[in-house]
Amino acid sequence: MLDNYLTSNQKQNKMVAQLSLGDKWEAIGEARGKEIGKEIGERQKAHFMVLRGYFRGQEPDFLADICGLPINEVIDLKIAYEAVKKAWQE
């Protein structure tokens, strides 16, 4: 409704301001997405390290120290792997 009272130059300035604000929000979203993606990637890498260590017979407390994960999470990964392995064997 306000657009009816704006000159063409003011409308153009308003559109540029809106685009600029949109660009800022897009940049913030990209930065957050990259940060979240990096965290997820690091966690997946730690999980793969735990499983590789488990395949080679390493102890859960050693794997937790190496990967920087809580011991409970390492044990849960081990239990989940065994459950999947059992399901595939049946």
Side-chain angles (χ1 to χ4, degrees):
M1 189 164 154
L2 180 62
D3 288 341
N4 296 336
Y5 299 103
L6 297 176
T7 65
S8 61
N9 192 26
Q10 288 172 330
K11 287 179 184 178
Q12 185 178 4
N13 289 341
K14 180 182 172 191
M15 186 172 19
V16 168
Q18 288 173 341
L19 290 174
S20 176
L21 183 61
D23 291 342
K24 288 178 185 175
W25 280 108
E26 185 177 351
I28 290 170
E30 285 180 13
R32 286 186 183 165
K34 288 179 183 178
E35 183 179 310
I36 291 170
K38 184 179 178 183
E39 290 174 10
I40 290 171
E42 289 173 358
R43 192 162 220 39
Q44 285 178 340
K45 182 179 175 183
H47 287 185
F48 287 132
M49 287 177 61
V50 165
L51 291 176
R52 276 188 268 152
Y54 175 65
F55 295 149
R56 294 183 178 132
Q58 299 294 330
E59 295 296 319
D61 56 343
F62 174 74
L63 293 171
D65 288 340
I66 294 274
C67 298
L69 295 174
I71 187 73
N72 295 339
E73 190 170 346
V74 171
I75 292 170
D76 289 345
L77 283 170
K78 179 181 167 184
I79 292 169
Y81 169 74
E82 289 297 330
V84 169
K85 182 178 171 183
K86 184 178 177 183
W88 275 98
Q89 289 175 349
E90 290 178 355

